[in-house]
Amino acid sequence: MDIGELKATVIREIDARYQQLGELSRKIHDNPEVAFKEKKAAAWLAGYLEESGFSVERGICGLPTAFRGEYGKGKPVIAILAEYDALPKLGHACGHNLIATSAVAAGVASRLAVDELGGSVLVIGTPAEELYGGKVIMAARGAFDNMDMAMIVHPGGGNRAIMSTLACQTLDVEFIGRAAHAAAQPEEGINALEAMIQSYNAINSLRQHIRDKARIHGIITDGGEAANIVPAHTAAHFIVRAEYDSYLDELKEKVINCFESAAKATGAELKYRWGERYAAMLNNVTMARLFRKNMQSLGRRIPLGDTTLWGGSTDVGNVSQLVPTIQPLVAVSSKQVWIHTPQFARAAASEDGLRRLLDAARAMAMTVIDLLASPETVARVQAEFRSGRQAKS
Ligand SMILES: [Zn+2]
Ligand SMILES: [Zn+2]
């Protein structure tokens, strides 16, 4: 079979499964499960892969709702990543039901390419993208070792084959002061709220002198107990983001200096803990071009995009530092409708949204064909990955 015929075959395979895939997407959308609680979604997705001939391992990396589906044995190994967690209160307002459906659709259709061309295709179920960075944990536990390339698509308000995201790390901070009557013995108190506010203001000042693309933002989660008690305890949660990992390290130090100086000024004790670290997205442009060409052959216009950053961060970034990765953005709503809103949750349940993400699934399976059929292309993908890592380190 030549490449063109094989691509036509994978397109037809997804057409034939349209009803089933639509049902799967709706079921996940109607049963939103937040980070690490995606029991139903993980079971439905893993089951669907198994019924379609994949060998499936559930609960990988010590995470009950993570899974690994595998079809074929040889190299190269191409992974398609699925996300299926919802947001608290908003449900599937990030459209992860569509990410999951497109991933299994692309995986199942890619079987035909593996039968014809060799290599293997994986569908990796990655929980908790939204709240904990499931892929950060999975990357540390080796889930993405021994694979050659990875792909995932994300629904959004626009189309872009390249989606650049920021490196980021969360920070939990506490100040411990000393309680006293705020009017009778204020001199006996150590004010943990003053320490927090001084830190907050110091960060505001710092923000004037950081690089354009960097971000520091936070909330105070504990501001004291009562107005007549000198606050003995305060807490805050911050996120620090930067375009490059090296600059993130530099910023982290500056942010901690803001807190430490406030601790010194007020006499409050500072405690802090850095949380999960999301790496910046390292896009593989060679793969993105293939995906774009395949989307366009299906009549979907999609610009390549550029290194203009989307202000957010994703744990796909951590995968992209280990293997050549793409995460194209596929429009399911107008530009005015942003992810993480109730309007976007509705778009993620729409028939039009499903059609668009299934076209993205077709384009991923067609990209699998391009890669399995051409060792030269794989070599180009790998060479770009190696040079990109050097450039950003
Ligand atoms: Zn999201
Ligand atoms: Zn998302």
Side-chain angles (χ1 to χ4, degrees):
M1 219 187 287
D2 74 17
I3 297 299
E5 282 170 53
L6 198 49
K7 285 187 177 179
T9 312
V10 304
I11 291 169
R12 281 199 299 274
E13 177 74 12
I14 293 180
D15 287 339
R17 291 170 178 263
Y18 184 85
Q19 288 300 339
Q20 291 173 5
L21 292 164
E23 228 166 82
L24 190 56
S25 176
R26 273 187 296 276
K27 264 199 305 198
I28 298 172
H29 192 279
D30 292 347
N31 292 274
E33 299 165 302
V34 297
F36 292 131
K37 299 200 170 121
E38 317 93 329
K39 281 200 197 104
K40 288 181 193 162
W44 289 329
L45 294 161
Y48 190 79
L49 288 168
E50 218 160 43
E51 282 162 26
S52 307
F54 275 71
S55 53
V56 178
E57 201 185 327
R58 292 165 172 83
I60 61 166
C61 300
L63 305 174
T65 54
F67 63 85
R68 181 182 195 275
E70 180 175 15
Y71 188 86
K73 284 275 168 255
K75 296 261 291 170
V77 180
I78 305 176
I80 297 162
L81 311 181
E83 292 172 3
Y84 32 85
D85 57 324
L87 286 156
K89 295 192 179 123
L90 288 174
H92 275 289
C94 206
H96 293 185
N97 60 305
L98 291 173
I99 299 182
T101 306
S102 64
V104 295
V108 165
S110 297
R111 280 159 41 247
L112 310 168
V114 169
D115 290 342
E116 195 74 16
L117 302 166
S120 44
V121 64
L122 310 178
V123 178
I124 309 286
T126 65
E129 192 277 330
E130 295 287 0
L131 302 182
Y132 299 106
K135 293 180 207 68
V136 181
I137 301 165
M138 291 177 74
R141 295 180 186 174
F144 309 108
D145 297 349
N146 308 316
M147 61 178 66
D148 300 299
M149 285 156 285
M151 280 185 251
I152 177 171
V153 287
H154 200 298
N159 288 296
R160 222 173 303 158
I162 290 174
M163 186 162 71
S164 298
T165 59
L166 298 167
C168 88
Q169 194 155 8
T170 56
L171 172 66
D172 284 301
V173 191
E174 274 179 288
F175 281 110
I176 291 109
R178 189 167 63 220
H181 193 291
Q185 286 92 29
E187 69 280 7
E188 293 300 319
I190 295 176
N191 195 322
L193 182 59
E194 291 297 347
M196 192 60 84
I197 287 169
Q198 282 191 23
S199 310
Y200 201 92
N201 288 334
I203 288 168
N204 283 343
S205 303
L206 168 64
R207 209 181 279 114
Q208 294 182 75
H209 303 288
I210 63 175
R211 292 185 194 165
D212 269 356
K213 289 168 180 170
R215 300 279 186 274
I216 311 167
H217 44 100
I219 55 168
I220 297 174
T221 53
D222 177 8
E225 293 292 329
N228 60 359
I229 308 170
V230 173
H233 179 266
T234 52
H237 185 68
F238 274 77
I239 304 177
V240 185
R241 305 185 200 243
E243 188 176 7
Y244 299 112
D245 284 312
S246 53
Y247 191 55
L248 181 60
D249 287 332
E250 217 176 298
L251 267 190
K252 281 173 61 180
E253 209 179 306
K254 289 180 195 234
V255 167
I256 292 302
N257 286 343
C258 294
F259 289 104
E260 276 174 348
S261 60
K264 192 152 200 190
T266 59
E269 185 197 343
L270 169 68
K271 284 187 181 168
Y272 67 89
R273 194 183 68 82
W274 288 103
E276 300 301 353
R277 180 164 175 148
Y278 289 31
M281 182 76 193
L282 182 61
N283 285 282
N284 194 275
V285 181
T286 309
M287 287 170 69
R289 282 185 198 284
L290 293 173
F291 176 85
R292 176 178 186 242
K293 215 171 114 212
N294 288 320
M295 272 298 258
Q296 283 176 335
S297 77
L298 298 167
R300 298 279 185 201
R301 277 167 51 85
I302 174 166
L304 186 63
D306 49 36
T307 47
T308 311
L309 287 155
W310 178 69
S313 308
T314 167
D315 61 8
V316 179
N318 296 60
V319 182
S320 78
Q321 301 290 333
L322 300 173
V323 283
T325 303
I326 52 168
Q327 184 177 31
L329 190 70
V330 177
V332 301
S333 66
S334 68
K335 269 197 190 103
Q336 287 74 33
V337 175
W338 296 93
I339 56 170
H340 293 204
T341 62
Q343 292 91 325
F344 197 84
R346 283 196 288 280
S350 69
E351 200 64 28
D352 189 47
L354 176 68
R355 278 184 213 287
R356 286 166 189 263
L357 264 289
L358 287 185
D359 269 350
R362 291 181 180 93
M364 281 197 281
M366 292 157 83
T367 304
V368 169
I369 295 174
D370 290 326
L371 294 166
L372 295 184
S374 167
E376 298 75 37
T377 308
V378 173
R380 270 197 292 130
V381 165
Q382 302 286 0
E384 184 196 326
F385 175 71
R386 283 190 298 271
S387 66
R389 285 201 57 157
Q390 274 160 8
K392 293 213 168 181
S393 61

